[in-house]
Amino acid sequence: MKRFYLARSARERVLLLAFALVGLAWWAPMALGRWGALRRDLGSVRAEEEVQRIWFSRRADIEARATAAAGALDPAKTLDAAQAFAELNRLAAGLNAEIAAQRSERSEQFALHTVQVTVRRADLASLVRFYEQITARAPYLAVEQCSLSVDRSTPGVLSAVIRVYSIEALAPAG
Amino acid sequence: MKGSTAVPPGAVVLATSERFFVRSVPLASDSPAAAQVELALEALSPFPLAQLYHGYATDAAGGHALVFAAYRRAFSAEETAGWGAADTVVPELALWLGASAPKQPAIWMRENDGLTELAAWDGRSSLPVFVQARRLEPGQEDAWLEEVRARTGLPAGASVRRAAGPLVIRRDQRTLVIATAAGEFESRFGLGVLDQLDVRDKSALAANRGRAARDRVLWRAFAGTLAALAACALLDGGLALGRSWLAKRRALVATQAPVAARIEAAQDLAGRLEQIATQRVMPFEMLAAVNDRRPRTVEFTRVTTSGLWRMDIEAQTVNAGDLRDFETQLRRLGSVARVAVRDPRMREGLTTFRLEVEFKPGWTGGGA
């Protein structure tokens, strides 16, 4: 290569160098950019792998903990989403209530269903009674969040948005 | 490489010694050797300096130089055609100019292709005192030796060493070595001395050196750029392999993700179940506890639980002073961990504010 290069005329040598430099200026930044991107991707995959490794390493402990938590529950008293809906409907009898199922979270052994109850224009005593009936079913049925607001036009009349959860024991698969 | 037309760039050319005459020139220490040599040559030679190929070597003490020169036309165009591209052009007699000088008077001779070179040493100087090349007929050597002894004053007993055959050239790191093939005689020259020995026109030589330096820079830049391009190619090749490998790892992570998500969900649910079994949100108990300390002028407009232990209250009062009292009363409650008043605003005599009340974890809804 050296002999070939030095055998060229001065003009050809300068041109060859210029072409090579242009090629390098075009290629090197792109290659370095691709390298940087690969390093970032590798870092992200490694982070995900590390998170997964931690979860897998704790799998037995978590399952044991879930089993213990589930063991403290009486399966006969748990409520699935439909049962919770029906039960809340029954408890809210006499109230101007709107009940809507929101979401469910599931593990292999149990599920947690969330239902939102919206009560409009009720007196405090009726709301307290409704709350106490829910509380009596705890921990299978309980309040997760509650918001009360006063009806400005009618003193003593309240509106409430109550998020209630119910626990359902799931039969083992298979 | 002996003088010929096919001279690769950077080669060392050995010109035949036959056409060179050699003289010893004394040097003064107060002016450059090259100028003194040129001055001496103009006096010695019947030809102008521009018509001579010449060079010189100085002795170790710098007291004199051995100057060699040849009439340019004594060399054919074919012989000198490749000299322009050569790195160095020196006469074969350079074999004697970088050798380790003998400690005693001696005569060294080398014969090749019918030409005999002779160097006479006086045993003191680092350079020979006499150098000559001749084509000898059989039986003429003794007479030549006698003539040399007579001209140089060497004793009759001065040793005579002989060698035969062509010269070989090699580079030893930054040293040029010229030696006989069998190794009887050897001269070594540092790169700095080669310009003195080179017989070509000195100004052309300087221009050649400049061109060579420029070519060297260009070549190094070109080679470096090619190396960088090769590194880019290697990098891209490695990146392609890396991407393929990373895709496999990513696929594995994606395969395991649902399982990891299920474990994470189980962890969350187990935690919530444990919490539910022991603790629950008590909005009306919180409201009752706060309401007990409420001044009569304060009215709640909205209350909202946030998490297990916090209640956010939007309220209003016609007496701004009661806000401070209410906050103080709440702080005195043993069940309350923190009270904060946010965003108090007064408009048309009515003060509105938000109150954050955080109960102590584990509070069961009892009294203060």
Side-chain angles (χ1 to χ4, degrees):
Chain A
M1 176 58 85
K2 185 176 183 181
R3 184 168 294 181
F4 167 81
Y5 184 74
L6 292 177
R8 303 300 98 198
S9 70
R11 184 184 180 137
E12 287 171 332
R13 273 177 274 180
V14 170
L15 277 174
L16 280 171
L17 176 60
F19 287 144
L21 284 171
V22 167
L24 183 64
W26 170 77
W27 195 352
M30 289 201 303
L32 289 173
R34 285 191 285 270
W35 183 41
L38 184 69
R39 284 184 61 190
R40 284 192 295 277
D41 288 351
L42 180 61
S44 130
V45 169
R46 278 185 176 153
E48 285 179 45
E49 284 176 337
E50 180 61 15
V51 169
Q52 287 189 350
R53 190 191 63 73
I54 290 169
W55 281 120
F56 290 137
S57 71
R58 295 174 57 193
R59 183 176 195 165
D61 290 344
I62 290 169
E63 285 176 350
R65 191 177 161 196
T67 303
L73 299 172
D74 179 357
K77 293 182 179 174
T78 64
L79 301 127
D80 62 20
Q83 288 170 326
F85 188 86
E87 181 66 5
L88 285 169
N89 204 33
R90 185 181 69 77
L91 297 178
L95 291 172
N96 178 15
E98 181 184 315
I99 303 171
Q102 281 202 312
R103 60 191 166 90
S104 295
E105 295 171 64
R106 293 174 184 278
S107 71
E108 290 177 2
Q109 291 156 314
F110 45 79
L112 206 63
H113 306 290
T114 308
V115 178
Q116 182 163 296
V117 181
T118 306
V119 180
R120 292 190 179 83
R121 300 183 62 77
D123 59 72
L124 182 61
S126 303
L127 286 174
V128 170
R129 194 162 50 251
F130 176 60
Y131 167 71
E132 286 173 346
Q133 286 176 314
I134 293 172
T135 304
R137 297 292 309 271
Y140 305 97
L141 196 66
V143 172
E144 188 177 38
Q145 194 195 26
C146 177
S147 177
L148 302 171
S149 55
V150 175
D151 187 337
R152 290 174 193 269
S153 61
T154 318
V157 174
L158 302 171
S159 291
V161 178
I162 304 171
R163 201 158 69 217
V164 180
Y165 64 79
S166 72
I167 298 171
E168 176 189 5
L170 299 175
Chain B
M1 170 151 309
K2 202 153 179 176
S4 68
T5 53
V7 177
V12 174
V13 173
L14 291 176
T16 179
S17 301
E18 190 177 11
R19 291 161 207 166
F20 284 87
F21 68 91
V22 183
R23 295 290 183 275
S24 182
V25 173
L27 295 176
S29 59
D30 56 353
S31 63
Q36 294 184 64
V37 165
E38 288 181 359
L39 205 61
L41 266 180
E42 282 177 351
L44 286 169
S45 168
F47 303 108
L49 204 57
Q51 293 183 21
L52 295 176
Y53 289 125
H54 70 278
Y56 66 97
T58 55
D59 69 344
H64 75 276
L66 211 59
V67 182
F68 43 91
Y71 184 43
R72 289 193 179 202
R73 291 189 180 174
F75 291 88
S76 67
E78 188 192 15
E79 282 177 307
T80 59
W83 287 17
D87 188 55
T88 304
V89 180
V90 294
E92 289 184 313
L93 58 83
L95 172 67
W96 315 115
L97 306 182
S100 294
K103 304 295 183 197
Q104 301 295 328
I107 294 174
W108 291 355
M109 300 173 78
R110 181 182 74 94
E111 189 276 331
N112 185 44
D113 280 347
L115 181 69
T116 305
E117 286 176 13
L118 177 149
W121 304 85
D122 63 3
R124 296 187 300 274
S125 172
S126 63
L127 287 175
V129 292
F130 180 81
V131 176
Q132 197 172 50
R134 273 188 187 178
R135 290 192 181 276
L136 298 175
E137 296 298 326
Q140 290 183 333
E141 185 182 295
D142 287 345
W144 189 29
L145 287 173
E146 277 306 312
E147 180 190 332
V148 169
R149 287 191 187 105
R151 287 179 63 171
T152 59
L154 259 60
S159 65
V160 177
R161 285 179 65 194
R162 291 180 175 83
L167 298 179
V168 291
I169 302 166
R170 67 174 191 275
R171 289 189 186 274
D172 186 2
Q173 294 181 336
R174 296 180 65 81
T175 303
L176 179 72
V177 181
I178 300 174
T180 53
E184 299 94 337
F185 302 119
E186 178 183 280
S187 267
R188 290 176 168 270
F189 302 101
L191 295 184
V193 181
L194 291 178
D195 278 359
Q196 297 175 6
L197 296 172
D198 202 308
V199 297
R200 291 172 292 181
D201 180 80
K202 303 307 176 196
S203 58
L205 202 58
N208 279 352
R209 297 286 178 225
R211 270 197 300 278
R214 185 199 63 198
D215 289 349
R216 213 164 27 247
V217 169
L218 276 176
W219 163 247
R220 285 177 183 167
F222 184 66
T225 309
L226 287 187
L229 283 170
C232 286
L234 276 176
L235 180 62
D236 263 345
L239 287 175
L241 290 174
R243 275 194 293 273
S244 161
W245 171 73
L246 190 62
K248 287 179 187 164
R249 286 180 72 166
R250 203 190 290 280
L252 183 63
V253 167
T255 308
Q256 293 176 340
V259 184
R262 276 202 299 277
I263 298 170
E264 188 177 357
Q267 156 91 346
D268 289 346
L269 274 179
R272 286 191 69 182
L273 271 188
E274 287 168 355
Q275 189 184 65
I276 284 165
T278 55
Q279 298 162 344
R280 60 189 175 85
V281 178
M282 298 177 290
F284 288 92
E285 290 85 343
M286 288 183 193
L287 183 59
V290 173
N291 194 50
D292 274 352
R293 303 299 169 111
R294 177 175 62 87
R296 291 177 65 81
T297 62
V298 174
E299 293 175 0
F300 296 162
T301 55
R302 178 186 292 272
V303 293
T304 306
T305 60
S306 178
L308 276 171
W309 308 114
R310 189 172 124 185
M311 173 164 270
D312 294 342
I313 301 168
E314 292 175 24
Q316 60 187 33
T317 177
V318 292
N319 184 0
D322 284 348
L323 171 57
R324 184 80 177 166
D325 291 343
F326 188 24
E327 185 185 357
T328 306
Q329 289 292 324
L330 289 175
R331 286 189 197 284
R332 286 180 184 160
L333 279 175
S335 55
V336 169
R338 183 178 70 87
V339 178
V341 176
R342 307 276 185 214
D343 199 20
R345 293 182 187 190
M346 177 176 273
R347 188 177 178 185
E348 295 173 356
L350 189 68
T351 302
T352 60
F353 58 95
R354 285 192 304 111
L355 199 63
E356 290 175 10
V357 183
E358 191 155 326
F359 288 81
K360 290 178 178 171
W363 178 63
T364 54

